[in-house]
Amino acid sequence: AIYADHLVKTNYKKFPPAPIIESATPERLQKYYAIQKAKPGYQSLLRTNLTVFGTIDDHDMGANNADNTYVYRKESVVEFLKFTDE
């Protein structure tokens, strides 16, 4: 799984301290998918006689618990399909 949303900072003015999470843009997803595809182990896996398939969940869209209101939901699906060569 590629978790493209990330911790920006922690808000210590709240109790208990609350994380501030930044959702991923399609550009960040492209970057993370490219990093994964460049890994030698993954390249080796792709060269075998193997079909890679997957499913997209809320993290793959670029935000934890993303749903149909997520601003980049369509773009995230496009990037995921490019990554899986669909």
Side-chain angles (χ1 to χ4, degrees):
I2 294 176
Y3 296 96
D5 54 344
H6 70 281
L7 177 68
V8 175
K9 63 181 178 178
T10 301
N11 181 357
Y12 291 102
K13 294 179 183 179
K14 286 184 160 188
F15 186 81
I20 298 172
I21 306 292
E22 182 178 273
S23 297
T25 62
E27 293 78 21
R28 185 177 307 143
L29 286 169
Q30 288 173 358
K31 175 185 168 189
Y32 288 174
Y33 287 141
I35 289 169
Q36 177 64 31
K37 276 197 163 181
K39 292 184 182 282
Y42 193 75
Q43 289 180 357
S44 176
L45 177 72
L46 292 177
R47 285 192 295 271
T48 65
N49 187 18
L50 177 78
T51 300
V52 176
F53 64 94
T55 185
I56 189 165
D57 75 355
D58 58 328
H59 292 95
D60 298 310
M61 276 203 257
N64 187 28
N65 297 325
D67 61 14
N68 65 350
T69 63
Y70 182 59
V71 64
Y72 296 120
R73 73 183 180 281
K74 291 178 183 173
E75 295 88 344
S76 298
V77 171
V78 168
E79 293 309 319
F80 180 78
L81 292 173
K82 287 181 189 175
F83 172 70
T84 57
D85 296 324
E86 289 297 319

